[in-house]
Amino acid sequence: MPKINIHPKWSEKTPVLCDGKPLCFIGSTKRELQVDTWLANHPFYTNSQVITDSEGRVEKFMKKYGLDKTGQ
């Protein structure tokens, strides 16, 4: 015989919040869901990415440890 009242309550309209603003409603066992990043504030989709300059890293490593570039 299955146990009674062991499953969490299911809510059909759980708000998904980002910075306190509701984004959408989904079904969940939680009362509300907090997210830090979503489509409208993600750097990739808002073209606000910071591209790091990784050029010269190998040369810097070789110079730091006194290695030559021929691999010997």
Side-chain angles (χ1 to χ4, degrees):
M1 180 161 268
K3 292 184 180 180
I4 300 172
N5 297 328
I6 62 168
H7 298 289
K9 303 276 185 195
W10 180 259
S11 175
E12 291 290 328
K13 290 195 172 188
T14 300
V16 178
L17 305 172
C18 182
D19 296 331
K21 300 175 192 170
L23 303 175
C24 62
F25 294 95
I26 63 169
S28 177
T29 58
K30 304 274 186 181
R31 290 185 39 176
E32 67 180 24
L33 299 171
Q34 296 282 340
V35 294
D36 295 328
T37 304
W38 66 293
L39 188 66
N41 69 355
H42 192 279
F44 180 79
Y45 297 108
T46 59
N47 291 327
S48 63
Q49 287 188 50
V50 177
I51 299 176
T52 58
D53 181 22
S54 61
E55 198 171 318
R57 295 176 103 190
V58 173
E59 289 80 12
K60 185 177 177 182
F61 176 84
M62 297 296 232
K63 183 180 174 185
K64 180 177 179 180
Y65 293 104
L67 304 171
D68 61 352
K69 293 183 181 183
T70 60
Q72 296 180 9

